[in-house]
Amino acid sequence: MIESAKAFAPASVANVAVGFDILGHAVQSLGDCVTARRSPQPGVRIQSIAGVTTDLPLDAANNTAGRAVLALWELNRAEGGVELHIEKGIPMSSGLGGSAASAVAAVVAANELLACPADKLTLLRCAMLGEQAASGSMHLDNIAPSLFGGLVLTVGIDNPRIKQIPVPRSIRCVFVHPHLRVATSDARALLRKTVSLSDFVWQSANLAGFICGCYTNDLEMIRDSLFDVVIEPQRQQLIPGFTVARASALANGALGCSISGAGPTVFAWCDARHAQQVRSAMVEAFGQHGLPCDDWVTSIEAKGARLSVQAASKVRARE
Ligand code: HSE
């Protein structure tokens, strides 16, 4: 019997400009870790929260990681309980899928304590219930890439279909987090509930063109389709400096630039040779608005959630 397991789940860029609520990609080197430890006391308890964010609910039912593991435990009618130790690497309300990453890392770690571990689709569903505790809505565009890795399309919610989309190898994502907080629930509340017919046609063409460009290694097709005519125009008011940062990224070679998830992080896709100049241009644009930033460059082929080496070697020994 494994007594404890630790998992890492990466941050993610949701929507990717053209796939609101259905498209997202994982990023490298930024994410959350959760350790799950078996406990004789039934139920799920959040034992500690450490890292860049600590002001999160300790009540398991209201905590994304806790809620996700409760769902997994109930589904498996597992005996005993679990203690969770959460280490946040992803800043709160940054638009980088922090609540999804905690939920994913928690179910991946807790799954190791089960006599019959669940499959990945079950983990996806449990993590989605966890994220719902934080955002109030059900969407998989952070959960799916954080669990599976890479660029992921999800179709459906009750019985989601997951498709990892190949991306041209030279593409990098620059993502810049200006030091602001945007609550996902607020950024969703401001969206109009209807879309005009012409915007629907335009956005559909962009989504189709973007996915086609990814499959066919066609950077110019990606450039011509990687822009959001529906959501970004409504949300950009939440991010001072956004329009300047976007224009600077495009002027420095970016293929496209938009809001990561609900923001305020802004991302740009570009060819690897332009990544550093796009990064500097975006950081400078936010600097002009008095906003300090954290900034990163990632490949889109980033891996999904994984057990820490120690936990993984125990799994191999068990097999
Ligand atoms: N697709 C969601 C949104 C992601 O943009 O509201 C937020 O995490």
Side-chain angles (χ1 to χ4, degrees), residues 14-15 20-21 139 141-142 184 188 235 261-262:
N15 302 333
F20 180 67
D21 277 2
H139 47 90
D141 51 341
N142 290 115
T184 300
R188 292 180 82 83
R235 283 183 170 169

Side-chain angles (χ1 to χ4, degrees), residues 79-279:
E79 286 179 4
V82 196
E83 287 174 359
L84 299 178
H85 300 264
I86 303 169
E87 295 160 56
K88 296 290 300 176
I90 306 172
M92 180 93 169
S93 304
S94 60
L96 286 166
S99 48
S102 288
V104 168
V107 291
V108 169
N111 199 34
E112 291 307 307
L113 309 185
L114 291 173
C116 294
D119 61 22
K120 268 193 164 178
L121 265 185
T122 304
L123 297 184
L124 181 90
R125 289 203 183 94
C126 293
M128 180 174 73
L129 293 173
E131 205 196 358
Q132 192 189 11
S135 72
S137 59
M138 287 215 238
H139 47 90
L140 286 164
D141 51 341
N142 290 115
I143 298 277
S146 186
L147 181 60
F148 289 90
L151 174 65
V152 183
L153 173 72
T154 54
V155 178
I157 286 286
D158 293 335
N159 292 299
R161 292 177 65 93
I162 304 296
K163 194 82 188 167
Q164 282 171 299
I165 297 171
V167 174
R169 301 219 55 170
S170 67
I171 288 194
R172 298 289 179 273
C173 175
V174 176
F175 56 109
V176 176
H177 171 224
H179 292 178
L180 302 167
R181 279 187 178 198
V182 172
T184 300
S185 50
D186 293 345
R188 292 180 82 83
L190 65 74
L191 298 177
R192 287 190 295 276
K193 300 291 176 278
T194 56
V195 177
S196 73
L197 188 60
S198 62
D199 281 353
F200 170 74
V201 172
W202 201 355
Q203 193 87 338
S204 304
N206 284 349
L207 176 59
F210 173 72
I211 290 182
C212 185
C214 285
Y215 271 102
T216 58
N217 263 316
D218 186 341
L219 298 197
E220 289 315 307
M221 178 67 125
I222 292 174
R223 187 193 299 281
D224 286 346
S225 48
L226 188 52
F227 61 96
D228 173 7
V229 295
V230 175
I231 306 297
E232 180 190 300
Q234 300 181 69
R235 283 183 170 169
Q236 62 185 20
Q237 58 180 296
L238 300 174
I239 311 169
F242 171 76
T243 47
V244 182
R246 181 176 186 276
S248 305
L250 297 177
N252 281 277
L255 300 169
C257 175
S258 190
I259 302 168
S260 171
T265 293
V266 175
F267 78 96
W269 271 29
C270 56
D271 192 83
R273 69 202 145 96
H274 295 133
Q276 289 310 331
Q277 69 203 61
V278 167
R279 178 183 194 162

